[in-house]
Amino acid sequence: MNCEMIHDRFDSKQAGTLDPAEREAFELHLAGCADCWADLEASRFLAARTADLRREITPPTDLWTGIAPRLQPRTRRLTLPVGWLAAAAVLLVAGTSALTVLLVRRPAAEAPTGFAATEARYQEATLELATVYRQARDSLAPATRVVLERNLAVIERALGEARDALRADPANRAIEEMVVAAYQRKIAFLERAAALDRKT
């Protein structure tokens, strides 16, 4: 087994679901690879710290009360002569007609479809969670931050390699599933890591 295969089996090792041959190859690799051994220990440490965390983070219910007032339009009455209003109406009609012609002639930007649309949703979710995590990590102990960053780097490396493989073979559905699984692992990790500051 190489280092990547070892990292992919961390969860199975901790769950005790490796078959005997895999377990033997896993232990043999760890005996000669200090980096993988350290990463496994970090993964065990993190799993112990996050075992009791909720799987979801529910946003506060009072967010809307602070946002809604800022969206209310500020109105001010303005009185103009009727002639000016008529001229403005003519200009508005002419302007919107010209704009409509331009938009109809210009090809519309295509929205992503298929797997590209799926990946766009995962990217948006990971970006939002990464922002929450960055805000939370400053309240964590330095040793915990080191472990989290090391594990996040492993997950991001696996995601990057899966995406590279998909770019090389874009029609491969099995690789698409690997990319989705990597995104799901990153999202789950960020959710749990962001919630750690409430446990410490």
Side-chain angles (χ1 to χ4, degrees):
M1 283 191 184
N2 59 29
C3 293
E4 181 181 348
M5 295 167 70
I6 291 294
H7 283 98
D8 287 343
R9 287 166 173 77
F10 277 176
D11 291 341
S12 298
K13 169 66 175 170
Q14 293 182 68
T17 57
L18 291 176
D19 64 46
E22 283 184 316
R23 186 169 55 252
E24 183 180 345
F26 190 97
E27 298 294 344
L28 184 63
H29 180 91
L30 283 185
C33 182
D35 287 342
C36 285
W37 185 86
D39 287 343
L40 178 61
E41 288 302 304
S43 177
R44 285 174 174 160
F45 172 81
L46 184 62
R49 292 291 304 273
T50 60
D52 296 331
L53 293 178
R54 292 178 301 155
R55 301 294 294 174
E56 298 179 352
I57 299 174
T58 305
T61 57
D62 60 346
L63 285 178
W64 181 247
T65 58
I67 296 171
R70 288 184 279 169
L71 299 178
Q72 296 299 323
R74 296 179 181 175
T75 58
R76 188 175 66 179
R77 296 184 68 88
L78 181 63
T79 305
L80 293 173
V82 175
W84 287 18
L85 293 174
V90 170
L91 285 174
L92 181 62
V93 170
T96 54
S97 298
L99 182 61
T100 301
V101 169
L102 288 174
L103 290 175
V104 168
R105 288 183 180 173
R106 192 175 75 185
E110 292 185 13
T113 58
F115 185 75
T118 300
E119 184 173 24
R121 290 192 295 274
Y122 276 110
Q123 287 173 338
E124 182 179 352
T126 54
L127 183 61
E128 290 176 7
L129 284 168
T131 301
V132 174
Y133 164 64
R134 279 193 297 274
Q135 293 169 350
R137 72 180 171 190
D138 292 338
S139 65
L140 300 172
T144 302
R145 284 200 303 268
V146 169
V147 172
L148 290 174
E149 295 298 324
R150 185 185 304 145
N151 279 271
L152 185 57
V154 170
I155 292 170
E156 288 178 342
R157 185 168 62 241
L159 175 58
E161 289 172 359
R163 294 181 74 231
D164 288 342
L166 186 59
R167 276 193 289 274
D169 188 6
N172 192 319
R173 297 293 170 258
I175 300 178
E176 284 183 0
E177 291 174 6
M178 288 174 55
V179 172
V180 167
Y183 273 117
Q184 290 172 342
R185 177 177 285 188
K186 183 174 181 180
I187 286 170
F189 178 86
L190 288 171
E191 285 178 337
R192 299 177 93 180
L196 275 177
D197 70 323
R198 294 194 287 276
K199 298 283 286 185
T200 55

